[in-house]
Amino acid sequence: MKRSAMVAMEPEPVEEQGLRVRAGRVLAVIAGALFIALLLNASELEREAKAKPLGTERDVWVGIWKPFATVSRSLYLDRPRAWADHALDRGGTGDVFELPPATATVAATPTAPAQLVRTPSAEEPLRIWIGGDSMMKVLGESFVREAGGSGLFDPVHEPQLESGLTRPDFFDWPRELNRLASVQPRYDVFVVMFGANDAQGIIEPNGTIHQVEGSAGWVAEYRRRVAGVMDLLRADSRLVVWVGQPVMRSDGLSDDMAMMNQVYREEAASRPWVRFVDLWPLFVDSEGDYNAYIADDDGETRLMRNPDGVHFVREGGDRAARAILKVIRAEAKVD
């Protein structure tokens, strides 16, 4: 027994003690580095949490990241990320949907001219900007291919996935569109599409929050934003093409899209420089319902929609792009 007790009390070998100390130091360095990385990115993590749909989950994540972001800002550890975002022209978002003063030259009269946008030539093609939410990714790629082949159109495709008009804290479309409206050489045509991500809580400038379900307040605030963007893009000899959302596989989402399409249609109808393109009839079957397979322009039935029941596959993008290009060609008097 005494022999066993003496053996148990023998000191740990020096080599093992050194390994334990070094391992502890490594873990401490790793933990410190992770904590510093967390503080450097805490403001962005807080921003991403705030970009979640309004509700309990968003509040929980905001509550988790807010203390770290506060410490980060107090120690100026958020500055490197902010400088990088500024250098890359990222950020600039806010909680409130603010419509900056339009910088484009606008005619004094609200009436439309005999020809809204000029007729292009090979020497002076129409500059077309096309963008919006994730629905514009495949559709925009199709449009660039369809429009670019004639030599009469010079399209620029810039969608922002997961964006929309509901959450400027995720991506500030008024700020971006105001910038694009004044770039030189100017864009002759803007093709925009929003709505797929917009069926979520919306915040008025006074801080009032409206949920989308059956809310007159939600519709009123969304209408203000749609009208504001249409006005923001207005300029002499410029066409704005506002593309509506197609039918969705989900009945609930389809109802939301139909409600938003009604807002787009009504606001476009009161603005001579805006044309509303209704995609809904192009993607319903003979019964007026959603179907992933639709007869194309040549009568052949083809797969048009992604398995998620929302986005387009290439054939669907092509079908929508042709409808948009048809409107532009008619306005520009291109045979």
Side-chain angles (χ1 to χ4, degrees):
M1 293 292 295
K2 291 182 179 180
R3 176 64 178 172
S4 300
M6 291 178 62
V7 171
M9 296 177 60
E10 287 181 359
E12 185 178 23
V14 174
E15 294 81 0
E16 292 185 14
Q17 288 182 0
L19 288 174
R20 288 167 62 93
V21 170
R22 286 195 292 272
R25 287 174 178 172
V26 170
L27 290 175
V29 169
I30 292 174
L34 290 174
F35 185 70
I36 292 173
L38 173 61
L39 291 180
L40 289 170
N41 292 280
S43 293
E44 177 63 15
L45 292 170
E46 182 187 37
R47 188 192 73 81
E48 291 178 358
K50 288 182 176 180
K52 292 179 177 293
L54 301 178
T56 303
E57 182 182 355
R58 173 184 182 271
D59 294 342
V60 169
W61 283 109
V62 170
I64 291 173
W65 296 124
K66 186 174 182 179
F68 292 102
T70 300
V71 172
S72 176
R73 285 189 286 267
S74 67
L75 297 176
Y76 299 100
L77 293 177
D78 62 326
R79 292 296 85 199
R81 177 63 182 257
W83 292 331
D85 287 343
H86 178 73
L88 297 173
D89 196 26
R90 296 188 307 215
T93 59
D95 293 333
V96 179
F97 192 94
E98 295 288 353
L99 289 161
T103 57
T105 303
V106 179
T109 174
T111 58
Q115 184 172 333
L116 185 57
V117 66
R118 65 182 176 84
T119 300
S121 65
E123 293 74 24
E124 294 184 89
L126 282 182
R127 296 196 73 232
I128 302 174
W129 184 92
I130 180 167
D133 60 28
S134 58
M135 295 294 288
M136 265 299 188
K137 184 180 187 302
V138 172
L139 193 165
E141 291 167 353
S142 293
F143 183 88
V144 169
R145 188 174 61 255
E146 293 276 344
S150 69
L152 298 177
F153 306 105
D154 179 17
V156 174
H157 179 219
E158 294 180 331
Q160 290 290 335
L161 306 188
E162 301 182 5
S163 70
L165 300 183
T166 300
R167 301 298 299 275
D169 52 335
F170 178 77
F171 187 81
D172 194 338
W173 273 114
R175 173 179 175 269
E176 177 64 7
L177 291 173
N178 193 57
R179 181 187 69 82
L180 290 168
S182 59
V183 299
Q184 295 296 329
R186 72 196 298 274
Y187 288 108
D188 301 290
V189 181
F190 276 90
V191 182
V192 300
M193 186 179 190
F194 301 108
N197 303 302
D198 285 345
Q200 57 176 296
I202 198 169
I203 306 176
E204 289 188 42
N206 64 11
T208 302
I209 298 175
H210 299 283
Q211 297 298 335
V212 67
E213 294 83 4
S215 170
W218 191 98
V219 174
E221 173 60 16
Y222 194 71
R223 183 181 297 275
R224 180 186 77 86
R225 299 179 182 203
V226 170
V229 170
M230 289 179 178
D231 292 342
L232 190 66
L233 295 177
R234 180 187 173 197
D236 291 342
S237 302
R238 174 182 288 159
L239 170 66
V240 177
V241 178
W242 199 287
V243 184
Q245 291 288 335
V247 63
M248 303 294 182
R249 183 173 61 196
S250 163
D251 291 340
L253 186 56
S254 279
D255 290 343
D256 291 335
M257 297 304 103
M259 177 266 292
M260 293 180 205
N261 282 348
Q262 185 65 20
V263 172
Y264 307 149
R265 182 182 291 106
E266 291 172 355
E267 293 304 313
S270 65
R271 291 168 171 81
W273 60 94
V274 182
R275 296 291 179 269
F276 175 69
V277 176
D278 189 3
L279 297 184
W280 199 282
L282 300 180
F283 294 97
V284 294
D285 60 20
S286 59
E287 302 298 320
D289 298 324
Y290 172 91
N291 195 320
Y293 291 86
I294 296 293
D296 207 347
D297 298 339
D298 58 6
E300 291 292 325
T301 299
R302 294 186 172 89
L303 177 65
M304 298 286 179
R305 307 296 287 273
N306 191 281
D308 64 9
V310 175
H311 296 90
F312 298 117
V313 296
R314 178 61 56 211
E315 295 288 351
D318 291 348
R319 182 168 172 80
R322 288 193 296 270
I324 296 167
L325 189 58
K326 181 178 179 180
V327 171
I328 296 174
R329 294 176 71 93
E331 293 293 337
K333 300 190 184 310
V334 175
D335 296 331

